[in-house]
Every structure is written in structure tokens, then in C-alpha cells.
């Protein structure tokens, strides 16, 4: 019983410490590359647009091609509209590639979202005749557009900014599964099994000791025996 009580106290202490620590830290986001997305069990869908098909036909990226062949083509929801794709993401176990999203997410869902870059970053160039005087003109005016904020303004109108994870929200809590604390329950089970085993051993030992005293023949002292000091 003492071992069971100690094991239960250890379980309560471990579980309470785990909950507090898990709520204080940010869960790691391990899927941050195409290779890790390929190795995971997550299914994938793509927004049903014409240039998405063209990208997978023309791309030289082996990771993107393998992603297309293993996760998009075999999937019956490989190419869907953005509304249905966001619903798949909310269900869990799905990755969806799109330009921008108009759906709403809760604070928990925002913190659970992970982002992977599919399209490679490419530099944009202006084709001009060699030695043309317009080169400096375009260079200066593009820099002025950037410094004045017009590029950022039009980008914000065309693309929705990525929502930020608000862990200070009152309704934000991290999910804790039983698999996260299975070691504590395993420790409790071992402690209870050990306590039962020790109880049975003590019971058998007492019974054997009692049986031994009952069947042991008392030693007889012969007549005329004298103890010597």
C-alpha cells in the first residue's frame, strides 16, 4: 500500500508539472520543408487554378514532383477550390497550397498552422536593350515605389497577411493527449503491481512462518542434564 501511495503521489506531481510546462512552452513545428512534408502522413491538396497545373508540368524541383506524384495525384481531392481546401485543413491531417485564404481560424487553429514554401523564390527582371538609357530610369522609379510604400500597399490589398499566434488569448489552451503522459501511468501501474506482489509475498511469508512454528518439534531436555555457568 505504501508503494501504491508513493506511486500515486508521483503520478499527480508528474502530471501537474507536465500540464503547467506544456502550457508555458510553444509546441515545436517540425514540418517546415518539403522533404519533411513528404515523409509525413499528411495528405495534400492544391487550389484548382490553371497555373498550378502548369507549375507541376514545368518545375525541375524533385521534391515538388515527388510531392505531386505521391500526395496530389492519388488524392481525389488533389485540386479543389479554396473554401473546400480550408475545410480540409481545419479537419486536420491536410496541407493545402493556395495564394491567399479568406477563411477564418480560431486562436488555437492559428497557432497550429504551419507554412511550407512550395514555389521557389525568383527574381523579377525587366527585359531591355543593352545600353538603353531607360535602365537607370526604371531603377530609380522602382526604388521610389518601394520607399514610398506603394508596393507594400498594393501587396497588402492583394494578399492577406499571415495571422499571428495569440497565446495570451483567454480561450487559447494546448491539447494534452494521454500518449503524452503514458510514462506516468506506466509508472503507476508498475508501482501498483509491485505493491500487490509485495503484499502477496508478505502474506505467504507469514503463513509459512506460522506453519513452521506449528510443525517444529520442541527439543526435550534429558534427565540429569545440568546447565553449566
Amino acid at each position: 500500500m505504501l508503494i501504491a501511495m508513493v506511486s500515486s503521489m508521483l503520478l499527480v506531481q508528474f502530471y501537474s508539472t507536465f500540464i503547467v510546462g506544456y502550457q508555458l512552452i510553444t509546441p515545436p513545428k517540425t514540418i517546415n520543408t518539403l522533404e519533411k512534408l513528404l515523409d509525413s502522413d499528411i495528405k495534400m491538396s492544391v487550389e484548382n487554378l490553371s497555373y498550378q497545373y502548369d507549375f507541376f508540368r514545368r518545375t525541375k524541383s524533385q521534391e515538388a514532383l515527388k510531392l505531386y506524384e505521391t500526395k496530389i495525384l492519388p488524392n481525389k481531392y488533389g485540386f479543389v477550390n479554396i473554401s473546400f481546401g480550408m475545410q480540409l485543413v481545419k479537419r486536420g491531417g491536410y496541407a493545402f497550397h493556395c495564394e491567399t485564404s479568406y477563411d477564418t481560424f480560431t486562436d488555437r487553429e492559428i497557432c497550429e498552422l504551419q507554412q511550407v514554401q512550395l514555389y521557389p523564390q525568383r527574381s523579377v527582371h525587366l527585359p531591355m536593350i543593352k545600353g538603353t538609357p531607360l535602365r537607370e530610369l526604371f531603377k530609380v522609379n522602382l526604388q521610389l515605389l518601394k520607399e514610398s510604400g506603394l508596393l507594400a500597399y498594393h501587396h497588402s490589398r492583394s494578399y492577406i497577411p499571415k495571422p499571428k499566434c495569440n497565446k495570451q488569448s483567454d480561450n487559447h489552451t494546448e491539447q494534452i493527449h494521454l500518449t503524452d503522459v503514458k510514462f506516468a501511468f506506466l509508472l503507476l501501474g508498475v508501482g501498483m503491481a509491485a505493491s500487490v506482489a509485495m503484499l502477496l509475498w508478505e502474506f505467504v511469508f507469514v503463513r509459512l512462518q506460522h506453519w513452521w512454528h506449528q510443525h517444529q518439534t520442541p527439543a526435550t531436555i534429558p534427565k540429569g542434564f545440568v546447565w553449566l555457568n
Side-chain angles (χ1 to χ4, degrees), residues 5-52:
M5 183 183 67
V6 172
S7 300
S8 300
M9 292 179 62
L10 289 175
L11 174 63
V12 172
Q13 184 69 21
F14 178 83
Y15 191 67
S16 302
T17 306
F18 181 83
I19 292 177
V20 174
Y22 198 86
Q23 296 295 332
L24 291 177
I25 63 175
T26 302
K29 296 183 178 181
T30 56
I31 302 178
N32 47 21
T33 61
L34 292 179
E35 292 82 359
K36 293 182 179 180
L37 181 60
L38 281 168
D39 296 335
S40 67
D41 297 330
I42 296 178
K43 299 179 181 179
M44 183 174 176
S45 299
V46 179
E47 187 178 3
N48 191 13
L49 297 173
S50 58
Y51 62 83
Q52 305 280 18

Side-chain angles (χ1 to χ4, degrees), residues 137-151:
L137 179 64
F138 276 108
K139 181 179 179 181
V140 173
N141 282 276
L142 287 175
Q143 188 65 28
L144 288 175
L145 288 174
K146 184 177 180 180
E147 292 178 355
S148 62
L150 286 176
L151 290 179

